[in-house]
Amino acid sequence: HGTTKMGEHDVVVYCSSTRSSGRSDAISSGALTICCELRCALVAVDFLGSGGSQDAGASFGYWERYDLLAAVRYAKRQFPSAKIVLWGGAPTGAVACALYGSVRLEVALKGMVLDGCTTQLKTHVSDLASLAIKPTSALRRKLVDDVVALVDERFRKRTGVGLKAVAPQTAITNHAFSGT
């Protein structure tokens, strides 16, 4: 950005996982290096019970999108003229970025990078169960359905939402990038 004035930067909001530090993940993933090369500011988010999710427990991005909203608000306060790029560097971070488009957007985005984003959590769980159960099993479909129902029940009990609610593919809308 040769025309960027001192103190004005585009901002990458790097979203890690619920299990590790956003700062260390931003370093190990190369996000910090890329941001330095592009002269972008970097905000590293780790979803370890902070921000707008109110420590609701890990929800594979469903509640973490509110943590992301808090991080985007912070970035815009620090760099009011900045364009924001979201980078989901882990599945939870990628889903949170994708679901960000479904919350009330105050800030248009310049772009998103989604590493490991599933289209719908329920489909992902079903696919994993299908891989785990032998194809020769006569009751395979019923067993897969039972496993998915059990995971859905546990997930709902832990997070307050069902697996179907974590559907980033349907949440991404063109208005997330309006005005960029």
Side-chain angles (χ1 to χ4, degrees):
H1 300 347
T3 60
T4 302
K5 295 179 188 172
M6 187 60 89
E8 293 181 4
H9 302 279
D10 286 340
V11 178
V12 173
V13 179
Y14 181 83
C15 303
S16 183
S17 68
T18 55
R19 295 182 181 188
S20 59
S21 164
R23 291 184 301 256
S24 66
D25 279 0
I27 294 167
S28 65
S29 71
L32 178 60
T33 301
I34 290 169
C35 288
C36 288
E37 289 173 359
L38 295 174
R39 299 178 140 189
C40 294
L42 174 66
V43 175
V45 182
D46 61 23
F47 304 121
L48 295 173
S50 60
S53 68
Q54 300 177 16
D55 199 21
S59 64
F60 202 70
Y62 184 83
W63 293 116
E64 289 82 4
R65 64 183 152 170
Y66 297 105
D67 295 334
L68 178 55
L69 179 60
V72 168
R73 286 176 176 162
Y74 170 80
K76 285 305 278 186
R77 280 193 310 273
Q78 299 303 308
F79 303 100
S81 62
K83 297 286 188 180
I84 304 290
V85 174
L86 303 180
W87 183 346
T92 295
V95 171
C97 289
L99 291 176
Y100 175 85
S102 70
V103 298
R104 183 174 54 98
L105 288 175
E106 301 157 2
V107 178
L109 302 175
K110 187 173 186 175
M112 283 189 210
V113 177
L114 305 175
D115 293 339
C117 186
T118 185
T119 57
Q120 187 180 62
L121 187 54
K122 185 171 183 177
T123 303
H124 183 65
V125 170
S126 180
D127 291 347
L128 289 174
S130 293
L131 290 172
I133 298 170
K134 292 183 180 181
T136 56
S137 173
L139 300 173
R140 183 172 192 230
R141 186 71 252 157
K142 170 121 176 65
L143 290 171
V144 168
D145 291 345
D146 288 348
V147 168
V148 171
L150 177 64
V151 171
D152 184 56
E153 177 187 328
R154 299 271 170 92
F155 189 75
R156 186 179 307 275
K157 189 180 288 186
R158 183 174 173 193
T159 66
V161 296
L163 294 175
K164 275 188 162 180
V166 184
Q169 182 180 27
T170 59
I172 296 176
T173 59
N174 287 333
H175 77 277
F177 299 101
S178 64
T180 59

